[in-house]
Amino acid sequence: MTSAERAAALFAEEHGSAASAVWSAPGRVNLIGEHTDYNDGYVLPFALPHRTAVAVRPRTDGLLSTATFGSDRRLHRSPEIAISELHPGSPTGWAAYPAGVAWALREGGFPIGGADLMIVGEVPTGAGLSSSHALECATALALLDTAGAAPGQPGAPSLGEIARLVQRAENDFAGAPTGLLDQTASLACTEAHALFFDVRTGQGEQIPFDSLGAGLEVLVVDTRVKHSHSESGYGERRRGCERAAELLGRKALRDVTAAELPTVLPELPEELRPLVRHVVTENDRVLATVDQLRAGRYAEIGPLLNASHASLRDDYRISSPELDLAVDTALAAGALGSRMIGGGFGGSAIALVPADDRPAVEQAVLDAFARADLTAPRLFTAVPSAGAGRDR
Ligand code: GLA
């Protein structure tokens, strides 16, 4: 049963009749371009096959009711809330995500008259695979549908506008200072492609990335570890980048080129230099990766993934022992390239692996984690899949 089918069935069971629509949105893997989004730079994500579905029916009393089928396979109901009374800080916890989206849509001028939502998620949580954005994007589309403003309907905002509304929910309601990577990936990716997205211009280009067709697999290693300082660490890095741009008199670090680094870095306080070096070189690595993919040379992106990991580990300093173990082990066992992905301080790594070598790489990673006495990681092959859409 897909998450959309389950959401529809649970909705009918809970409310006694059918939902008016079901929308779903995927989690993502970012192939390369990490911590570049809030620096106005480039990213290259693709969508996971794992999706979060939201079955919806409009209400006329202004209330939002939310129930979710959790990974514990039980239904969790949140108290009904008046959309007109939503404000940042209330509710908190998990319910802040759907409520934050309703708030952002209200603030954005979309007349959401109330809705019943049934949420079923299959994106692994806490794994750096954007389960929260899958939830927020599917919720945004479902709620827009109740206002006649979902994609394909006359009053629909563009995907870029929806991504910004979801970002607002995440930044101003849930209080996470994240960029535009995750919601853009969830909304706009297409099957067998990676999305080359320029955050400054808002322009996206679908780059063919049929990894399986090329005999390669992108293996995801979810370390199942998230270190407690991940949120503070993210915010500190972001503020450091913004401060560096300001000191250099640039709008964003996007405006610094690699050729300028030798002259620009000495102008900065020592602690900001590695941050700038990471962002500037990472943007170049995205462009180089796109060039290789356009030429169909998928295997050639391996060294770029490795360089990205080294930069995130040594300059941006957001890797973890578990991520490094996953990356080093995968490479030693035959991966063509490997790196941590997402916000950092835990979560997942990816390894680009020839399909024939995948079982050996998987086993090597499992063995290495067992030898280090760590929880067994969750491993799966990520096939570039479709972005958000209406299921029924
Ligand atoms: C998290 C954030 C994104 C992005 C990545 C790092 O996933 O939500 O906006 O900054 O980290 O690339």
Side-chain angles (χ1 to χ4, degrees):
M1 202 186 245
T2 65
S3 53
E5 287 162 355
R6 191 180 296 278
L10 287 171
F11 187 100
E13 220 170 276
E14 179 78 355
H15 297 287
S17 54
S20 57
V22 182
W23 288 80
S24 67
R28 61 99 188 92
V29 153
N30 191 19
L31 194 54
I32 198 160
E34 220 64 86
H35 290 268
T36 47
D37 63 348
Y38 52 80
N39 290 298
D40 269 5
Y42 307 112
V43 292
L44 188 62
F46 65 82
L48 286 172
H50 309 70
R51 302 175 79 83
T52 294
V54 177
V56 67
R57 194 169 59 197
R59 305 171 51 136
T60 48
D61 58 3
L63 296 178
L64 185 70
S65 92
T66 312
T68 180
F69 187 69
S71 50
D72 56 1
R73 309 194 74 71
R74 292 178 49 193
L75 203 59
H76 300 266
R77 298 175 182 86
S78 301
E80 291 185 350
I81 29 181
I83 293 178
S84 62
E85 284 167 21
L86 290 171
H87 57 88
S90 164
T92 53
W94 173 86
Y97 291 103
V101 170
W103 171 82
L105 293 177
R106 186 196 79 196
E107 295 291 290
F110 293 95
I112 311 295
D116 292 319
L117 304 178
M118 175 62 69
I119 300 174
V120 176
E122 58 182 26
V123 184
T125 54
L129 300 172
S130 272
S131 61
S132 67
H133 281 95
L135 163 61
E136 290 167 309
C137 289
T139 302
L141 295 169
L143 289 177
L144 284 168
D145 194 313
T146 66
Q153 295 174 334
S158 68
L159 290 185
E161 285 163 336
I162 300 174
R164 293 224 171 255
L165 288 163
V166 171
Q167 185 185 28
R168 183 148 184 222
E170 175 99 348
N171 291 176
D172 298 345
F173 200 96
T178 48
L180 264 178
L181 162 67
D182 304 333
Q183 45 293 65
T184 304
S186 186
L187 290 165
C189 281
T190 58
E191 207 178 327
H193 290 82
L195 176 66
F196 173 37
F197 184 64
D198 179 338
V199 179
R200 169 165 287 168
T201 64
Q203 295 299 310
E205 183 188 342
Q206 305 290 346
I207 307 291
F209 184 51
D210 179 10
S211 43
L212 288 187
L216 296 173
E217 295 191 26
V218 179
L219 182 66
V220 174
V221 182
D222 168 12
T223 64
R224 295 182 189 250
V225 179
K226 192 88 197 165
H227 293 281
S228 58
H229 52 287
S230 62
E231 277 174 35
S232 58
Y234 186 97
E236 279 162 23
R237 302 300 185 285
R238 181 170 184 158
R239 284 192 298 279
C241 288
E242 286 164 357
R243 171 130 183 75
E246 194 186 312
L247 288 171
L248 294 171
R250 313 287 169 102
K251 187 159 177 282
L253 291 185
R254 152 71 172 272
D255 300 307
V256 180
T257 65
E260 284 179 296
L261 283 177
T263 48
V264 149
L265 291 183
E267 290 175 28
L268 290 169
E270 211 158 324
E271 72 276 9
L272 297 182
R273 293 176 198 168
L275 298 184
V276 176
R277 190 160 51 220
H278 166 71
V279 172
V280 172
T281 57
E282 184 78 351
N283 274 327
D284 275 5
R285 283 186 287 272
V286 177
L287 299 178
T289 303
V290 169
D291 283 346
Q292 297 292 3
L293 294 188
R294 279 203 183 108
R297 291 193 293 259
Y298 292 2
E300 309 294 316
I301 71 172
L304 293 161
L305 303 182
N306 297 340
S308 172
H309 185 73
S311 180
L312 289 160
R313 181 191 60 207
D314 302 336
D315 274 346
Y316 225 63
R317 293 193 297 114
I318 58 168
S319 190
S320 69
E322 300 82 11
L323 288 166
D324 291 342
L325 181 65
V327 165
D328 294 343
T329 309
L331 288 174
L336 303 170
S338 183
R339 66 178 209 86
M340 58 149 285
I341 60 167
F345 309 101
S348 297
I350 53 169
L352 183 69
V353 184
D356 292 343
D357 295 338
R358 205 241 311 137
V361 173
E362 269 185 1
Q363 197 54 52
V365 172
L366 288 170
D367 290 348
F369 272 64
R371 269 197 309 276
D373 226 3
L374 294 167
T375 309
R378 176 182 6 219
L379 296 151
F380 66 91
T381 293
V383 181
S385 299
R390 184 174 173 160
D391 295 86
R392 48 172 78 199

